[in-house]
Amino acid sequence: MKKNPMLVFAVIAVVVIGACSWEIPEEVVFRAQPQFWIPTGNAVFDLDISEEIIDDFTQSISGPNLTAGEKDYGGYDGKPLILYAKLEITAPNFPDLPPVGEISFDAFFEDQTDPIDLSGLSGPIPEQVRLKQVPGWAWFEPDAAASPPYPDIYVRLRAEWTVGGVPQLRYLLGDAGAGNFATLASSRATANTFDLALVFNDRPADLVLYYEFGANSADVTDIDSLHLLFEVPFAFEADPGTLLDFEENGDDPLLMEDDVFGRDPADPDEDLDKLLESLRGSNAAISLLLEQTSGLGARLGMVNSVEGLSEAEKQNPANWVIDVEILPDETQQTVEAGITAQVLDKMIDGAGGNKQFIPEFLILVPEDFQINSLWELRVSEGYLRVQAVVDYNFSLEDEE
């Protein structure tokens, strides 16, 4: 019987394969590039600016006939924060007024406020920021029994303070000449106006207001009360590159306490370190969900506080890890900033002996901004989004 050649070839092939030594690898490496979302946490910057400023202001305005506080009249809605100080003087009684029919004389009343300390009024507002205006008004209320035309009442008002030990003086109503008074209006609606912005922006610790009122003695009985009122709207103009400064007694609410990645030098985490190493060389983005009631439109930056940057370096956005715009609108807003591979590597490397990245937020104000009565900046959630390069190792050996 003749052999089938194909069958013989198949048998030989099986024998050859069976004789091979097949090496099984101990492990197989798969490479993947998943996208990671790393929570950056949340924070509430409840800065208590308004409460602090109001307390400082009301405590600095003291003296007879003076009241001060947050404005609560005229449709005020807290935007911007407005404080007020009011001097109300009941018409002085002159016991030596001439009897009816005798010659009248010029009657004058003068006094001054206690020293007003404005040095700490602006809270986190640095010297590069100035109040736009501090409007004031002066008027008298006629006696209920009086009727138009009302008599002429005269007023003169000046401010005195020091800057660096140098005396300053400014006439707000009238001037320094003898008898150079302004004629006082007879109602709040037509009040004489003045502006204290120049004085307030010097932030004196010893401001004194000197006021004088005059009238013919025969007309004094037509006066019910004399009034001086000024308001402080917290609307500002600022030099370019101005940062708000919230640090007080060594405590800064914009300075975080922990590493942005949650690294703890006292408790190293090998798995976390491996994850961070897998992020190197990736482009990333940080996404923050913000809510605010401050009314502040600004740029929000972040640096590594461990680096110990100078004030000038902090003012330069080129040194920031993130740079986002905050809208002044009281709405929930999502802001997102790209992070280059170089910056991400810098964050992973950290700084200092423990190689940490502890965020410090910076608020760079625009050249025109305001502070509202309610002030809160809330980061309700945040994520660092990054594409990682991860190697997965799988063992193919039988485990006994």
Side-chain angles (χ1 to χ4, degrees):
M1 181 177 175
K2 190 176 180 179
K3 295 182 179 179
N4 187 332
M6 292 301 298
L7 179 61
V8 173
F9 176 79
V11 172
I12 294 173
V14 170
V15 172
V16 171
I17 292 176
C20 284
S21 177
W22 183 265
E23 295 290 336
I24 303 296
E26 295 181 358
E27 64 179 21
V28 176
V29 177
F30 290 92
R31 173 159 290 190
Q33 292 185 318
Q35 189 175 81
F36 283 85
W37 289 72
I38 303 173
T40 58
N42 55 71
V44 178
F45 302 129
D46 189 359
L47 304 170
D48 294 329
I49 295 176
S50 302
E51 182 177 343
E52 176 186 340
I53 290 175
I54 294 169
D55 288 346
D56 287 346
F57 183 74
T58 53
Q59 291 169 15
S60 70
I61 305 292
S62 62
N65 308 313
L66 271 172
T67 56
E70 184 177 1
K71 180 177 177 178
D72 59 358
Y73 51 86
Y76 169 61
D77 63 357
K79 305 172 186 177
L81 168 67
I82 300 178
L83 306 183
Y84 81 93
K86 183 176 183 180
L87 174 72
E88 183 173 342
I89 305 168
T90 302
N93 179 26
F94 294 94
D96 55 349
L97 288 177
V100 176
E102 294 193 14
I103 298 174
S104 61
F105 58 92
D106 289 334
F108 287 94
F109 172 77
E110 60 181 331
D111 204 347
Q112 65 189 63
T113 65
D114 292 339
I116 299 171
D117 184 357
L118 303 175
S119 59
L121 175 62
S122 296
I125 308 303
E127 293 182 359
Q128 297 91 338
V129 175
R130 297 164 297 280
L131 290 162
K132 289 183 177 180
Q133 61 174 340
V134 180
W137 301 265
W139 73 97
F140 77 93
E141 294 289 347
D143 185 81
S147 59
Y150 298 116
D152 288 337
I153 310 297
Y154 304 101
V155 62
R156 184 159 56 187
L157 176 66
R158 74 181 188 274
E160 294 187 12
W161 71 102
T162 60
V163 177
V166 179
Q168 310 288 319
L169 182 148
R170 182 177 178 84
Y171 275 88
L172 304 168
L173 293 172
D175 60 46
N180 287 354
F181 286 70
T183 302
L184 192 60
S186 58
S187 72
R188 170 70 175 85
T190 59
N192 307 66
T193 60
F194 55 93
D195 193 338
L196 281 162
L198 182 147
V199 181
F200 269 61
N201 287 329
D202 275 347
R203 306 183 187 186
D206 55 358
L207 169 64
V208 177
L209 297 177
Y210 295 85
Y211 47 89
E212 303 170 75
F213 295 98
N216 185 283
S217 60
D219 298 328
V220 170
T221 54
D222 287 340
I223 306 172
D224 176 74
S225 54
L226 305 165
H227 300 264
L228 289 175
L229 167 70
F230 64 83
E231 295 180 348
V232 189
F234 279 71
F236 303 95
E237 55 186 16
D239 293 342
T242 299
L243 296 174
L244 294 187
D245 180 11
F246 295 97
E247 185 172 353
E248 184 176 3
N249 300 322
D251 183 27
D252 185 352
L254 300 182
L255 176 61
M256 303 296 101
E257 297 180 352
D258 301 317
D259 177 81
V260 70
F261 298 114
R263 294 173 293 194
D264 183 357
D267 185 19
D269 187 329
E270 185 177 340
D271 291 334
L272 176 58
D273 291 340
K274 287 182 178 179
L275 172 61
L276 294 180
E277 286 301 317
S278 73
L279 303 182
R280 285 190 180 279
S282 303
N283 288 310
I286 192 166
S287 178
L288 301 173
L289 184 62
L290 302 180
E291 300 172 80
Q292 72 148 335
T293 58
S294 68
L296 176 67
R299 290 173 70 179
L300 179 68
M302 185 175 74
V303 297
N304 185 3
S305 63
V306 184
E307 290 186 30
L309 298 179
S310 68
E311 193 66 21
E313 290 171 325
K314 290 180 182 179
Q315 291 173 343
N316 184 359
N319 296 320
W320 296 0
V321 171
I322 65 168
D323 181 0
V324 296
E325 293 284 344
I326 302 175
L327 299 176
D329 306 329
E330 294 184 17
T331 57
Q332 191 177 78
Q333 50 190 286
T334 299
V335 296
E336 188 163 307
I339 298 176
T340 65
Q342 294 78 10
V343 171
L344 181 62
D345 288 351
K346 184 178 179 181
M347 294 175 67
I348 294 171
D349 291 333
N354 293 320
K355 304 296 184 181
Q356 297 277 282
F357 189 100
I358 299 177
E360 178 181 359
F361 288 94
L362 306 169
I363 297 179
L364 182 68
V365 296
E367 295 178 31
D368 189 334
F369 74 101
Q370 69 182 42
I371 290 178
N372 287 347
S373 180
L374 295 176
W375 178 286
E376 182 179 274
L377 174 60
R378 176 190 298 268
V379 181
S380 54
E381 64 182 37
Y383 292 95
L384 178 66
R385 186 177 67 248
V386 60
Q387 195 84 24
V389 177
V390 181
D391 293 336
Y392 295 90
N393 299 324
F394 294 92
S395 175
L396 298 181
E397 291 185 316
D398 291 333
E399 296 184 1
E400 296 181 0

